[in-house]
Amino acid sequence: MNPVDLELVKLKRQWQKVVSKNEEKPMLICIGEKHETDLFDGFIKSKLAEDEEDDIFLLHYQEFNGMNSFGQTLLDEWTEFYEMLKKSEGNIPQWDLKNPEENFKTDACKAFYPLLELKKNFPAIQDSKIYIYIAPLRITDTEELSLWVKEWCRICEASENKDIKLVWAEHHTYRTLPNISSAHRFRVEVDIHQLMQNTAAHTNRKKNSPDTDFQQQILIASNHLSKERFREAEHALKTAVKLAKEQKNKQGEISAYFMLTQAYTADRKKDKAEDTYRIILEEVERDSPLEVQMYMNYGSHLLGNSKKSRAEKIFEKAAETAQKIEEYAMAIECYRIIGTLNDTVLTKDKMIRYFEKCLGIAKLMNPSAREQSSLRFVASMLILKYEGDTDKKRILDSEMKTYFGDEWKVSVEKPKAG
């Protein structure tokens, strides 16, 4: 058993203990250092492959775009799976999607009640516990997320159902959600030094070999970063860069440089972070997926420092490179970001122009790549932005139906008034 698998086994035991002692709680929150919550994320993913368990794990990384649309986002995904089951298996129980009569502040009810109904009607899952793990890649409003989660917990408790639980993971210090009385928090702890030693023993590499030394410096830096020892992390990463250069390990070198930008950013050394990004873009292999990814990382860094116009130029460069090397999904994502940055009354035309570039790229993609891209989101936003232009709406709807079928739309925020 490799060292990471060993940690997952420990985590599984802890999870079983937490679940058995907190049957009344509608929500479980894992807290820890960044590398610990990352491991928990991996543990949740590993549960999908365990056929022998009756428990059901639903994973959701969709963006949180507001408390009145997130529930619908979850429901859209579950509905898609239900429809697929209906076509492939046949004779499956009817799913009655009734809207509750009670008034709610958020749309958490849109996700909870249909799932409860599904559980009651499907014999195969009537006795199962369902864990909904939400880990939004982007959160537009943390206060609204908190309200959504609290209302979910209240609805769940009122239903007296103990088998459906919300699951969340976050850093133990920099918390996104405030204290939620209905949720049970538990701490995950991984001894990074022990994990590092176990990894070295497991790989059976020669002691002091360049590759082992490089990996060790990366692990040491990760440990220092998790404990906010920035100067020590920077030293380890500079050593890792030097070792990677000696080995002519270009990908390792770029990875170490990228970690260095994260260390500088966390330590509020913005200028050093920016200088390091410039080094990365000089050193990275031209016209490669890694170059596109680094441009995107640099663009995100600039956005984080309120340099929107420069960020747009970087994302534009990333998109052009992605198209050149036929990484079309990455190109669509870059143009989506630029378009979203211009979601204002004054720049609406620019937003539409960039979103329409995505439609052009989609024509070049194979179906599986298109399915994995953010094209549905882009097209759903365009339908809203086209407003009274029925011809454009009709043509776009027809095109998306060709790609994804009749139910192609996803939930997006309604345009703001004015």
Side-chain angles (χ1 to χ4, degrees), residues 9-30:
V9 168
K10 291 181 193 171
L11 195 44
K12 182 176 180 177
R13 288 184 194 136
Q14 184 183 3
W15 171 260
Q16 288 168 339
K17 204 172 183 180
V18 166
V19 166
S20 64
K21 288 186 176 179
N22 294 280
E23 290 184 353
E24 306 291 325
K25 297 287 185 181
M27 185 173 188
L28 302 171
I29 301 177
C30 164

Side-chain angles (χ1 to χ4, degrees), residues 261 264-265 269-278 301:
T261 67
Y264 285 141
T265 302
K269 295 177 180 175
K270 294 179 184 177
D271 290 343
K272 284 194 171 184
E274 190 130 343
D275 289 343
T276 308
Y277 270 115
R278 290 196 190 102
H301 168 79

